[in-house]
Amino acid sequence: MPTNRLGKSDLYVSKIGLGCMSLGTEETKAVEIIKQALDLGINYLDTADLYDLGKNEEIVGKAIKGQRDKVILATKVGNRWTAGKEGWEWDPSKKHIKSGVKNSLHRLQTDYIDLYQLHGGTIEDNSEETIEAFEELKKEGYIREYGISSIRPNVIQRFTNSSGIISVMMQYSMLDTRPEEYLDYLHTNDISVIARGSLAKGLLSSKGLEKAKEKAKDYMNYSYEELIELLGKLEESEKTRPLQSTAFHYCLHHPAVAAVIPGASTVEQIKANVAAIQYPALTAIEYKRLKELLKHSQYESHRE
């Protein structure tokens, strides 16, 4: 499996990772999915302390036991919950981050995290305190590197200018091209993008058009009618590869994007994702054709 470097770090992640949020809480099934991903060459696993209130991290920890050295392990912090209390609160404080990392390490059954990410962020946050916490965790050896998960330009710019982040995770797909406004900026600053949602909730998979017709719902700024029309055009535009492959390689075309991290709830989905990434990268001509198609979509016209 080809890998890409995250920023200027020593971390090299497979071009396709596994977003663990959709694994579910049935442990045997979830562990099987993770092990299949590793067997197929995926080395990047992304979880968060918030997923299933820590259960997801526990499952990931059990699945990678004995194979920790083969995995680039990423998790997130910033959402604090209290046992017995419904919901969670945003807390990017140094105190919470430094206690949260220890809880995550315990659940993951490891003594270090490769990539620790702030799970959100607002312009009102005390970012100096947050950055100080991550830098201290690096020095103490609890984490190797840190990044953020955000699509807010002001938050991204603040961390780019004031911290040592190596990555920004953001929702990015052919149906949500907002990140393209600052991909060049991040690349210039040697910060990698980790693309989540690259299949747009399955709409950009081989059964995407079928799913869209079944749900008969809008997506992002697309009306149902616009979505059906665009998905049909996307399927027609690429005859040499499945739409799923086009979706992954579209995101990976920009050098800022180090990895796509689709989720999976079955072993079959993992196999399909890995098969899709094996197709050749998009040529410049193929990419330009897709860009033109998207440019004339209704969603793009709303943005102009």
Side-chain angles (χ1 to χ4, degrees):
M1 177 75 70
T3 60
N4 281 324
R5 185 182 185 184
L6 284 181
K8 290 183 177 179
S9 75
D10 293 329
L11 303 181
Y12 286 80
V13 296
S14 48
K15 286 188 175 182
I16 185 170
L18 174 61
C20 296
M21 184 174 69
S22 58
L23 288 173
T25 55
E26 187 182 329
E27 189 174 299
T28 301
K29 180 181 177 182
V31 167
E32 184 183 5
I33 293 170
I34 294 171
K35 289 187 173 181
Q36 181 68 73
L38 298 178
D39 288 345
L40 290 173
I42 290 174
N43 79 339
Y44 176 45
L45 303 179
D46 190 280
T47 179
D49 58 2
L50 185 63
Y51 300 163
D52 297 313
L53 301 183
K55 179 65 175 176
N56 195 270
E57 285 185 327
E58 291 178 1
I59 289 173
V60 171
K62 290 178 180 178
I64 65 174
K65 204 167 185 178
Q67 301 186 74
R68 178 66 183 91
D69 60 332
K70 299 178 182 178
V71 177
I72 300 298
L73 181 59
T75 191
K76 309 179 194 74
V77 68
N79 295 289
R80 175 169 52 85
W81 74 87
T82 305
K85 184 178 178 181
E86 188 174 346
W88 56 85
E89 300 173 274
W90 175 242
D91 187 354
S93 68
K94 181 177 180 179
K95 179 180 179 182
H96 175 64
I97 292 171
K98 298 202 75 172
S99 64
V101 73
K102 292 178 181 178
N103 292 330
S104 287
L105 288 169
H106 175 72
R107 288 189 290 265
L108 291 163
Q109 299 183 53
T110 185
D111 55 4
Y112 70 97
I113 292 165
D114 295 293
L115 178 63
Y116 205 35
Q117 301 159 103
L118 184 66
H119 203 172
T122 71
I123 199 65
E124 290 80 24
D125 295 341
N126 184 345
S127 59
E128 289 183 6
E129 179 182 330
T130 300
I131 293 166
E132 187 175 279
F134 282 116
E135 289 291 346
E136 287 183 8
L137 291 176
K138 276 190 71 174
K139 291 178 182 177
E140 293 161 357
Y142 291 115
I143 67 174
R144 293 176 66 186
E145 301 289 351
Y146 65 99
I148 61 172
S149 176
S150 177
I151 199 167
R152 296 179 176 178
N154 51 12
V155 173
I156 292 171
Q157 185 173 14
R158 173 184 283 181
F159 276 85
T160 298
N161 294 337
S162 307
S163 77
I165 61 169
I166 64 163
S167 64
V168 177
M169 177 180 291
M170 59 182 75
Q171 180 170 297
Y172 179 35
S173 74
M174 290 191 291
L175 299 184
D176 183 1
T177 58
R178 290 174 295 173
E180 292 177 0
E181 296 174 16
Y182 30 88
L183 289 181
D184 287 342
Y185 168 73
L186 290 171
H187 186 55
T188 299
N189 285 278
D190 293 309
I191 295 172
S192 294
V193 170
I194 299 164
R196 63 177 178 84
S198 50
L199 293 182
K201 295 185 176 180
L203 293 172
L204 295 173
S205 68
S206 58
K207 296 182 179 180
L209 192 56
E210 181 183 323
K211 286 184 178 182
K213 290 177 179 177
E214 285 177 0
K215 294 181 179 180
K217 291 182 179 180
D218 302 345
Y219 183 79
M220 299 296 294
N221 282 5
Y222 290 105
S223 69
Y224 169 67
E225 291 76 15
E226 292 164 350
L227 182 62
I228 294 299
E229 181 182 359
L230 180 57
L231 289 176
K233 289 180 179 178
L234 286 171
E235 286 194 347
E236 285 296 318
S237 69
E238 289 291 336
K239 294 295 188 181
T240 60
R241 67 175 80 224
L243 181 57
Q244 196 159 337
S245 175
T246 303
F248 291 151
H249 284 293
Y250 177 88
C251 294
L252 289 164
H253 187 79
H254 195 286
V257 181
V260 293
I261 54 165
S265 56
T266 65
V267 167
E268 288 70 31
Q269 287 178 347
I270 279 288
K271 291 179 178 178
N273 288 341
V274 172
I277 206 72
Q278 302 298 333
Y279 283 81
L282 294 175
T283 65
I285 293 174
E286 288 172 327
Y287 182 75
K288 184 179 180 180
R289 186 167 65 241
L290 287 168
K291 287 292 294 178
E292 285 298 314
L293 193 158
L294 295 171
K295 182 178 180 180
H296 291 95
S297 72
Q298 188 64 41
Y299 178 46
E300 285 289 336
S301 67
H302 283 322
R303 292 176 53 199
E304 294 175 354

